[in-house]
Every structure is written in structure tokens, then in C-alpha cells.
Amino acid sequence: MVMAAMLTAIMALPLTVRAQSVNPMAYWTNEDGDDEEGTSIGNGMAPLDVTFRANPENMEGFTPSYEWHFRKMSADGSGESEELFVRYEEDTQYTFTQSGTYNVVLKTMLDQQGTELDSVLIVVAIAESKLEFPNAFSPNGDGINDTYKAKDGYRSIISFRAIIVNRWGQKLYEWNDPAGEWDGTYKGRPVKDGVYFVQVIAKGADGKDYHIRKDVNLLRGYTEGGNNSGTTKE
């Protein structure tokens, strides 16, 4: 009798039903090479590869369908947006190559009767481009400005080509990544101190074209804080 009463009491308890839900997240690698995740990306540097995951929970007995709506916000601050495209998978990936602010909205349908969860928003902001080069470097092994490269802070560069030439127009070095650099050598041998020239053709995620031509002063005798003569490095 006691056992029967206990079973009756247990059966009378209300069942706890966990609600179906999604927890969409964005996953990307920042400019320092660190993996990040979150529901917003601020000041991202193009080209930026982002993976979007719905992260559904408690979907037993359901066959959910997903819609990832990619929308670009108007640059005039009006709050208007343009729908770019829609993806129909639980997880999706996209490479952002243009600057601006994007709203990525996940819509989740639980069944064919139209039962829908609340939409969830992920915001992705891609920074405007920036690219600058110095006018000198000192490949002397002191650990300071030993290579010629783009100034720190470059961002959102989606295509890039740089060439170093001497005063006679002979190509000494070429690289195709803004993170690249020239160590002051030609065919493995150090070139002489003097003036060389850099030619850069690049394009930013904001559509800006870069055509940079400037002198490159190679100064092996230059040391930070020392007694130096000649051109000052920018």
C-alpha cells in the first residue's frame, strides 16, 4: 500500500519539459591569430572568414530547418538594410570582403506547420581599409625595423602586390601579402645602403584603390637612440 501510494504521488508530479532553443554563435580568427566566438564582431579586418553555428538544444522529436539571412546595413545611418542572400543549413560559413555593418539573422522553424522560434541576430562590422608604408628601414640585426613592410595598423586589404626596385628599375623583391616584408637582400645577398623604391598596388574592402610609390632608404648604420646621420625613418 505504501509503495502504491508513492508511485501514485510520483505519477502525479508535473513533467519538466525543456523548451527547444538555438544559441547561434559566430566563430572567427582575429588579426592576432587568436580564435574567438561571440554574437558580435566589431572592427573586423577583411577578408574575414566567419563560421556561424545554430547550436540547437532539446530538438528531440523535431526536424528543425534553418534560415541564415545575411543583410548589409545602409551606410547613411538610416537603419535600412539590404538582404544579400539566405543560407539553409544548421551551420554555415562566409568570407566578408567588403567593409560595412552586417546583420546575420537566424530563423528556426521546428516543423512544417510553421512553428518558429524567436529570430536571433549576430552583428558583424568590417572596418574600412588602411595601408601605409615607411620611407626607410635598417636591416642591421638590432631587432628594430630590420625589415621593410607595411606600417602597423593596416587593415581590410583584400588584394595586394608590392615590388622593390633599384634606381635602374631592376626588380629586387616582390610579395603579395600585406603581412609580407623585404629583408634588404637580393638573391640571398645584402644589397648596398642607399635609396630604393617601393611600388604597391592594393585594394581595400571599402573599394579604395591604393597606388603607392615612394623612396625606401636602406640604412644599416641607423640605430635607435644612437648617433645617426642621413634620412630619418617615418
Side-chain angles (χ1 to χ4, degrees), residues 25 27 51-56 66 68 87-93:
M25 299 286 283
Y27 302 82
T51 297
F52 298 91
R53 298 175 183 165
N55 297 318
Y66 305 94
W68 294 94
R87 296 277 181 82
Y88 298 93
E89 54 260 357
E90 180 177 324
D91 301 332
T92 192
Q93 185 275 339

Side-chain angles (χ1 to χ4, degrees), residues 168-198:
W168 297 281
Q170 178 188 15
K171 184 173 73 173
L172 304 181
Y173 191 70
E174 177 179 347
W175 66 104
N176 297 295
D177 187 327
E181 55 193 10
W182 179 45
D183 63 1
T185 65
Y186 175 61
K187 294 184 177 180
R189 302 183 64 178
V191 300
K192 295 180 179 180
D193 282 24
V195 179
Y196 298 86
F197 306 92
V198 65

Side-chain angles (χ1 to χ4, degrees), residues 17-59:
V17 178
R18 295 180 296 172
Q20 294 72 39
S21 65
V22 289
N23 183 31
M25 299 286 283
Y27 302 82
W28 73 99
T29 301
N30 65 24
E31 56 191 283
D32 297 321
D34 300 322
D35 293 335
E36 293 196 38
E37 63 180 75
T39 56
S40 66
I41 302 175
N43 207 35
M45 186 170 67
L48 183 66
D49 296 322
V50 184
T51 297
F52 298 91
R53 298 175 183 165
N55 297 318
E57 295 182 356
N58 309 316
M59 294 295 181

Side-chain angles (χ1 to χ4, degrees), residues 113-154:
Q113 285 69 47
T115 306
E116 185 175 347
L117 299 180
D118 290 339
S119 299
V120 186
L121 171 67
I122 295 176
V123 178
V124 179
I126 303 298
E128 294 184 351
S129 65
K130 180 182 179 181
L131 182 65
E132 297 177 328
F133 275 80
N135 74 338
F137 74 121
S138 54
N140 53 21
D142 65 355
I144 303 173
N145 294 316
D146 281 332
T147 59
Y148 186 77
K149 57 186 178 181
K151 289 185 177 182
D152 291 343
Y154 71 84

